[in-house]
Amino acid sequence: MNQEIANKPVSELTSAELKELMKETQRKENAAKAKKEAKYQATKNQLVNELVAKAIGIQEILKEFKAQGFDQLGAHYELMKEFGEVKSNHKGNFQLKSTDGEFKVEFSNHMIKEFDERAELAADHLNEFLAAHVKKRSEADYNMIKGFIEKKNDKFDVGLVGRLFQMENNYDHPSWKKAIDLFRASYVEVDSAQYIRFFKKNEQTGAYENINLNFASV
């Protein structure tokens, strides 16, 4: 912009000069805004990169520590068996405490069970029985039992099917008995999950408090 225009009082500017002054003012504002935006984006980019890099590093440390923990506890479990501290049919759950009771480590082995394809056949037998022998006698019982075999996420619900087991002696019909037997037989182990938890005793309360590492999924 012409320096002469910049030095003139606004009241003495012509329309053309005033437009040029406004245009220059807008340009400077846009430049300042762009500079501020660029600084913000640079700060954000640095923050994200630094935090994610640290998170990746911590995740790797957790992975290594998890592997180390399972290896060392697995070896100690063999020692426990050698010294007769666990029975031969033990499922693998155990806990260890430091001599002074200050620290504790818990190892748990969870069996994951689901209904296999025999559950579908069980449901067929049950539906046959319900339609032929329950629906006409008691609509309420019919709807209740049907509800026990409704699937959630395309799977039979363990808790609901478990209610059928509690009702096993309510009916004495081959289809009913067959359905119960098949549901029970179809509930099988499909996987296992192992967990390690660490604890430190609270000096004031004496209770063990969990040291939350949450590395079950790493």
Side-chain angles (χ1 to χ4, degrees):
M1 185 178 68
N2 191 310
Q3 190 63 37
E4 184 180 345
I5 296 176
N7 293 334
K8 273 187 179 182
V10 175
S11 58
E12 296 179 8
L13 294 175
T14 64
S15 296
E17 291 173 336
L18 187 59
K19 286 182 180 179
E20 186 176 348
L21 178 61
M22 292 176 65
K23 184 178 180 181
E24 178 63 16
T25 301
Q26 185 64 49
R27 186 192 67 78
K28 288 181 178 179
E29 288 179 354
N30 290 341
K33 184 177 179 180
K35 185 177 180 180
K36 187 175 181 180
E37 173 68 17
K39 184 178 180 181
Y40 163 76
Q41 292 295 340
T43 301
K44 179 187 73 172
N45 186 60
Q46 181 180 359
L47 175 63
V48 171
N49 285 324
E50 286 180 357
L51 289 178
V52 173
K54 287 180 180 179
I56 292 172
I58 292 171
Q59 183 186 54
E60 290 304 314
I61 292 172
L62 283 176
K63 285 181 179 179
E64 292 177 8
F65 180 58
K66 179 181 180 180
Q68 177 187 356
F70 277 111
D71 287 345
Q72 292 181 338
L73 287 174
H76 187 79
Y77 182 68
E78 294 303 314
L79 283 176
M80 292 172 67
K81 290 194 292 185
E82 183 180 332
F83 280 86
E85 293 186 13
V86 293
K87 297 179 180 179
S88 58
N89 61 350
H90 192 262
K91 293 184 178 180
N93 300 330
F94 63 91
Q95 64 176 20
L96 306 172
K97 290 183 181 179
S98 59
T99 305
D100 59 7
E102 184 73 12
F103 305 112
K104 180 174 70 169
V105 177
E106 287 185 353
F107 179 89
S108 54
N109 190 33
H110 294 277
M111 298 300 145
I112 300 172
K113 301 180 73 174
E114 292 180 358
F115 293 100
D116 65 19
E117 66 279 357
R118 288 171 290 183
E120 299 292 346
L121 185 57
D124 290 340
H125 281 287
L126 187 60
N127 283 323
E128 271 181 33
F129 167 74
L130 292 174
H133 303 283
V134 177
K135 188 172 184 179
K136 291 181 180 179
R137 296 181 183 180
S138 174
E139 190 77 22
D141 288 349
Y142 173 83
N143 290 329
M144 177 183 68
I145 298 172
K146 284 282 286 186
F148 293 160
I149 58 172
E150 286 185 0
K151 290 184 176 180
K152 295 182 178 179
N153 298 322
D154 203 36
K155 292 183 179 181
F156 292 103
D157 184 89
V158 175
L160 292 176
V161 174
R163 297 186 188 182
L164 289 177
F165 300 154
Q166 297 172 8
M167 299 173 62
E168 183 173 2
N169 296 322
N170 286 21
Y171 302 98
D172 188 22
H173 189 277
S175 292
W176 169 261
K177 295 293 186 182
K178 186 68 174 178
I180 297 297
D181 289 343
L182 281 170
F183 268 125
R184 185 174 280 116
S186 70
Y187 191 52
V188 296
E189 180 183 329
V190 295
D191 201 355
S192 63
Q194 296 175 321
Y195 303 94
I196 304 174
R197 294 196 298 164
F198 305 90
F199 300 86
K200 183 181 185 303
K201 184 177 286 187
N202 185 302
E203 294 181 0
Q204 296 180 334
T205 66
Y208 283 104
E209 295 180 345
N210 183 35
I211 302 171
N212 188 9
L213 298 180
N214 193 25
F215 61 26
S217 60
V218 299

